[in-house]
Amino acid sequence: MSEGSSHWFSPSPAEVSSSRISLDFELRAADLFFRELVVPELGRVWFARQLAWPVAALALHEELASHGSNAPKSTSICHGIEALACKLEYLVDPQDPSRRILGRRAFGRDNEREVWSFHRLRQATNYVRNTHRQAATRALREDGGLGFARGSRFDLLEFEPVGRALADAFLSQTVGRGGTSLRKWLLGWVGDDRDREGEAARRPDSLMRALSPEHATQEECSLVRSRLLGTSTQASEKRQRLARAVGRAADVPEIEGAVVVRLREAGHREQANEVVAARAFGAILDRSRDAVANLTRAVEPGRGGVKLATLVSDSALRKSIKDLRAAALNYLEKAISADVKEPTSRSFADAVVAGDDSDAIRLLVRRAGEVLGLADGVVVRGPLFRVVDAADETNDLEDGAESIEPDRTGRTFRIANLHSLLRDVDQRGAR
């Protein structure tokens, strides 16, 4: 893979935020296909407590509902638990908090340290909208996940035995001087017990560690590891092979230079080719974004729009389209080698390769959401126009689960997430 195509950015669906625009070029399904192809059934999980918090919430809801109370939904309980866990961890060192926590902005606004009740912490205004629970739900499921619960919607999930065991391992921890179980403590807190709220405000170390994203117990880690690497399914065996290639060193290994080489040396050429094809697809997304960045810069000064004939003569735009075409050719070659037949990515790459620069501009304008428009041979500002950052400039992501995960830009197709999870649940030393 050429230097120009080895670094890429795989964004989320088209949206506008105060800091950046994300573009998927109508290739979101292909992006998800390749992430699942490389690291199946993991979803966006990258540390053990992302799985322990939601199964604990399911267990607490089940217990509250069995007592006939008007129990909060499992979703609300989970958001409250992870908000409390993240806030306690944040206050250990607000200047250098754990990179696993969400809610820094909301916690920073609470200058008087007054927000500690379940009722308030579960609200997005006091935490975040895009939570760890949302990132983990797919991985929890039996169908397409690691098999901790059955069902599709989170609030309707039913435990598999291993899911209940994980919930029990988390909730059986003790907190406080009296050795209260975490289960009992959280049941009181969810019930808006003022004493529990006061205890949370005092931030006892035992409560912080019992909830923290950084301190999963050995039993929790063992249960997560058993589902990640210990089953006999094709997906688990694929994760096992990838885990051996990734290792547990402090840094994620270079993918083409190390992970792919190790897979091939171990005789897993087909899996290695799939990783290479995924990376080549990612390069298409990056080069497409680079081209749109140049398009928006060219259109921005001319508020009335810029003719296609003028744009095809723009040297920066011509170079970015040339790079995109090279990435598309490389992807088609790698997809054939890996026997990958994902249709939307193949058709996009075929269109880029087959057309001239004018055709490429038309394609990118159509796929750029509402950032740009095309009318009578003139590229114009769309309703959501702004100058788009190039692929290597998109670092300011919103405060949500997708913004802090190791694979937050999609550069590794969740290999970085797997590496982080392996180190969390299986600290056997560097390899």
Side-chain angles (χ1 to χ4, degrees), residues 50 89 175 236 273 275 301 319:
Q50 281 181 302
E89 184 67 46
V175 298
S236 179
N273 288 344
V275 174
K319 183 182 183 304

Side-chain angles (χ1 to χ4, degrees), residues 138-155:
R138 181 173 182 177
L140 290 173
R141 298 197 304 249
E142 180 183 49
D143 182 17
L146 298 177
F148 291 95
R150 302 181 304 278
S152 54
R153 291 179 53 199
F154 178 73
D155 285 323

Side-chain angles (χ1 to χ4, degrees), residues 212-231:
S212 170
E214 298 287 348
H215 300 290
T217 65
Q218 289 187 357
E219 187 176 1
E220 290 171 73
C221 290
S222 177
L223 289 164
V224 172
R225 187 168 59 246
S226 73
R227 300 306 301 174
L228 182 67
L229 303 174
T231 64

Side-chain angles (χ1 to χ4, degrees), residues 177-376:
R177 295 179 180 177
T180 302
S181 73
L182 184 59
R183 181 190 302 270
K184 182 177 180 181
W185 194 96
L186 286 170
L187 285 170
W189 182 69
V190 170
D192 286 329
D193 185 321
R194 289 296 184 90
D195 290 339
R196 298 302 188 216
E197 181 182 343
E199 288 176 41
R202 291 192 292 274
R203 311 199 307 273
D205 184 68
S206 62
L207 181 63
M208 183 278 291
R209 292 184 66 87
L211 292 169
S212 170
E214 298 287 348
H215 300 290
T217 65
Q218 289 187 357
E219 187 176 1
E220 290 171 73
C221 290
S222 177
L223 289 164
V224 172
R225 187 168 59 246
S226 73
R227 300 306 301 174
L228 182 67
L229 303 174
T231 64
S232 58
T233 64
Q234 288 184 347
S236 179
E237 290 170 0
K238 192 172 192 178
R239 293 192 298 269
Q240 292 169 35
R241 295 192 295 268
L242 187 59
R244 287 192 289 271
V246 170
R248 292 155 181 80
D251 297 324
V252 181
E254 205 279 324
I255 293 179
E256 282 83 4
V259 176
V260 169
V261 171
R262 292 169 187 169
L263 285 170
R264 286 179 174 155
E265 289 176 345
H268 310 307
R269 181 169 295 276
E270 179 181 341
Q271 188 169 354
N273 288 344
E274 290 173 351
V275 174
V276 171
R279 296 275 286 175
F281 165 72
I284 290 182
L285 293 177
D286 244 15
R287 302 293 77 77
S288 295
R289 186 179 183 100
D290 289 345
V292 169
N294 281 313
L295 269 172
T296 58
R297 292 188 183 106
V299 170
E300 198 272 337
R303 295 182 180 274
V306 180
K307 293 181 179 179
L308 272 173
T310 302
L311 289 171
V312 295
S313 300
D314 183 286
S315 59
L317 183 55
R318 287 172 62 187
K319 183 182 183 304
S320 63
I321 292 174
K322 180 181 178 181
D323 291 343
L324 171 58
R325 191 170 289 116
L329 276 168
N330 182 61
Y331 167 67
L332 291 171
E333 293 172 3
K334 298 301 188 287
I336 291 170
S337 296
D339 195 27
V340 170
K341 298 181 174 65
E342 199 288 318
T344 60
S345 57
R346 294 284 290 267
S347 63
F348 183 85
D350 284 336
V352 170
V353 170
D356 58 19
D357 287 2
S358 179
D359 294 325
I361 292 172
R362 289 188 179 92
L363 175 65
L364 291 168
V365 169
R366 288 199 306 270
R367 298 291 188 101
E370 297 185 276
V371 176
L372 296 165
L374 183 64
D376 298 325

